[in-house]
Amino acid sequence: MNKPVSIDWSQLGFSYMKTPYRYVATWKDGKWDQGSLSEDNQLKISEASSALHYGQQCFEGLKAYRTKSGQIQLFRPDQNAKRMQESCKRVLMPEVSEEQFIDACKQVIKANADYVPPHGTGATLYLRPFVIGVGDNIGVKPAPEYIFCVFCLPVGPYFKGGMAPVNFTVSQYDRAAPYGTGAAKVGGNYAASMYPHSLAVKKGFADCIYLDPKTHRKIEEVGAANFFGITKDNVFVTPDSPSILPSITKYSLLYLAEHYLEMKVEQRDVYIDKLDEFAEAGACGTAAVITPIGGIDYNDRMHVFYSETEVGPVTKKLFDTLCGIQFGDVEAPEGWIIPVE
Ligand code: PLP
Ligand code: COI
C-alpha cells in the first residue's frame, strides 16, 4: 500500500527521489527473464561487474505525462526502446525488446501512479531505464549476465528557471570522438562531460556546448541536450553529426516545425563563428524539454541570440506545441502518444 504523497510539485527540480517501485529483469543463459517490480532501490552486484570497470552499460530517459482528464500517457516510448537497442549493440549487450521495454515502463508508472504530477503543474514523472553488465568477469570482454532496470521520479525543470533563457559556454574538451560512442547513450560520454560541465558552472554558465571533435569549428550539442537555432528567415536548424545523441525531442521538433508551424527545417553544419545567422536558439531533450539559450560564450565574447531574459516567439511556439502534445492538449501525430491504462 503506497503512503499518500505530499509533494510541492511546483518546487521540483531534477533531483533523485526514491519512489516505491522499480522494475528489474535479469539476462542469464542467453535470455531476459520476465522481470518484476521491487521495493528495494539497491542493486547487489559482483565487484567484478563490467559495468563498474569498463563502463559496459547504457541508459534512457523518458517521461510520463498527466492529461487534463487525469489519464497518464507516454511520449514516443518506442523511440527510446529502439535507441536503447542501438546503445546495447554498441557496447555488446543483449537488446531488450520494444515490447518488454514499454511493458516495464508501464508497470513502473502504474505502480507509482501517485507520483505522476497533476496536469497544469508542468512537472512530469521521469523514467530512467538502464542496462548494466554484471556477474564475475575481469577481462575486457562482455559480461556473463545483465540487469535491465527502470526506476522513476517526479521532476520539474532540468535547467533552473525552466523556460527562462540560460547561457552556455563553449568547451575546449570533447565528450565523444568521431566513430566513437557519441551517438549511443552510454555512461562514458557523461563521465567525460562532468569535468567540462563543472568548469562551465564555475564560470557561471548553465552548461557547455561541445564542438565537433575533429575541427572544433562546428556545434555538436550540449552535455545533456541537442542544439537548435532559428534563422533570421525562420528556418529551424539543428546540427547533423554522427557523434551526437540522436535526440527524440529534436526529431519531434523537426517534424513539428515543418508540419505544425510550417517552417523550413534543416539538419546541417552549424559553425560556431556564424551564430549571427540565428535570431533564436535553444537546447532540447527529454529532461531539458526546450530551454531557450540566451547567449553562448565563445573566445571570451558573449553572443546573445534573442535575449538573455526573454523567450523568443518561435521558441515559445515550439515549446507550446511540443508540451501541448505531451500533456494531451494538442492533437499528436499518429503513434506518438501511448496511453498507460
Ligand atoms: N543529447 C544528450 C547528450 C542527452 O543526454 C540527451 C538526453 O537524453 C539529449 C541529447 C536529448 O535526447 P532526447 O530528446 O531523446 O531526450
Ligand atoms: C534526458 O534528457 O533524459 C537525459 O538523459 C539527460 C540527462 C539528465 C543525462
Side-chain angles (χ1 to χ4, degrees):
M1 190 59 185
N2 293 353
K3 276 197 236 135
V5 299
S6 86
I7 293 172
D8 184 351
W9 308 106
S10 67
Q11 292 304 308
L12 287 172
F14 197 84
S15 317
Y16 180 73
M17 177 191 295
K18 183 184 169 191
T19 51
Y21 297 100
R22 71 276 307 119
Y23 170 96
V24 186
T26 305
W27 187 93
K28 227 179 184 170
D29 304 324
K31 60 177 190 315
W32 287 107
D33 67 18
Q34 64 171 25
S36 59
L37 293 175
S38 160
E39 289 184 66
D40 190 356
N41 73 336
Q42 309 286 317
L43 293 172
K44 189 161 186 276
I45 59 172
S46 167
E47 62 190 0
S49 292
S50 62
L52 298 178
H53 302 271
Y54 307 127
Q56 197 194 16
Q57 63 83 248
C58 70
F59 69 99
E60 270 304 322
L62 68 164
K63 286 173 169 174
Y65 303 82
R66 178 89 67 185
T67 67
K68 212 175 260 169
S69 65
Q71 302 285 106
I72 303 172
Q73 58 188 33
L74 282 161
F75 179 72
R76 311 191 77 183
D78 55 313
Q79 298 299 308
N80 294 90
K82 288 191 177 93
R83 189 170 63 188
M84 198 172 85
Q85 291 176 340
E86 292 306 308
S87 299
C88 283
K89 274 195 235 165
R90 183 65 180 82
V91 292
L92 274 185
M93 299 196 295
E95 293 164 43
V96 175
S97 71
E98 195 174 312
E99 191 190 355
Q100 184 165 11
F101 181 96
I102 294 176
D103 176 60
C105 292
K106 284 185 175 175
Q107 285 193 43
V108 170
I109 296 163
K110 282 194 249 180
N112 296 291
D114 294 347
Y115 290 79
V116 184
H119 186 81
T121 59
T124 51
L125 187 78
Y126 184 74
L127 294 145
R128 173 51 66 84
F130 63 94
V131 177
I132 53 175
V134 298
D136 300 336
N137 170 49
I138 198 65
V140 183
K141 61 179 191 303
E145 292 167 24
Y146 295 86
I147 291 174
F148 166 48
C149 177
V150 182
F151 68 90
C152 71
L153 53 146
V155 296
Y158 183 72
F159 289 110
K160 232 162 123 198
M163 257 305 260
V166 295
N167 291 338
F168 294 132
T169 185
V170 172
S171 175
Q172 316 162 18
Y173 293 89
D174 300 325
R175 69 179 276 286
Y179 306 106
T181 55
K185 206 160 166 61
V186 296
N189 297 335
Y190 297 82
S193 76
M194 285 184 195
Y195 180 62
H197 174 83
S198 76
L199 296 179
V201 169
K202 230 183 255 172
K203 289 205 285 178
F205 296 100
D207 203 342
C208 45
I209 298 255
Y210 293 94
L211 300 181
D212 74 290
K214 203 164 170 187
T215 69
H216 272 213
R217 293 183 57 217
K218 297 179 274 185
I219 290 187
E220 289 260 291
E221 62 174 328
V222 188
N226 275 185
F227 172 89
F228 70 84
I230 311 296
T231 65
K232 290 179 174 157
D233 49 1
N234 206 34
V235 182
F236 179 95
V237 178
T238 183
D240 189 20
S241 160
S243 48
I244 62 176
L245 192 78
S247 157
I248 295 157
T249 316
K250 185 261 301 283
Y251 287 118
S252 304
L253 290 177
L254 279 163
Y255 184 89
L256 297 177
E258 188 173 358
H259 298 280
Y260 281 53
L261 304 186
E262 284 158 20
M263 296 168 69
K264 264 181 72 187
V265 300
E266 287 173 2
Q267 286 189 85
R268 58 150 164 94
D269 291 340
V270 173
Y271 287 91
I272 189 65
D273 58 1
K274 296 220 171 83
L275 294 179
D276 274 343
E277 65 172 321
F278 298 118
E280 299 177 35
C284 63
T286 299
V289 193
I290 290 180
T291 302
I293 303 178
I296 294 180
D297 164 67
Y298 177 57
N299 283 347
D300 292 326
R301 188 186 150 248
M302 181 65 126
H303 178 92
V304 175
F305 293 99
Y306 184 75
S307 150
E308 284 183 85
T309 51
E310 279 173 46
V311 186
V314 182
T315 306
K316 174 85 172 69
K317 260 194 250 170
L318 287 166
F319 178 89
D320 289 344
T321 309
L322 176 71
C323 294
I325 287 170
Q326 292 171 329
F327 284 103
D329 299 323
V330 171
E331 193 171 337
E334 204 182 325
W336 281 23
I337 294 297
I338 304 297
V340 180
E341 303 88 21

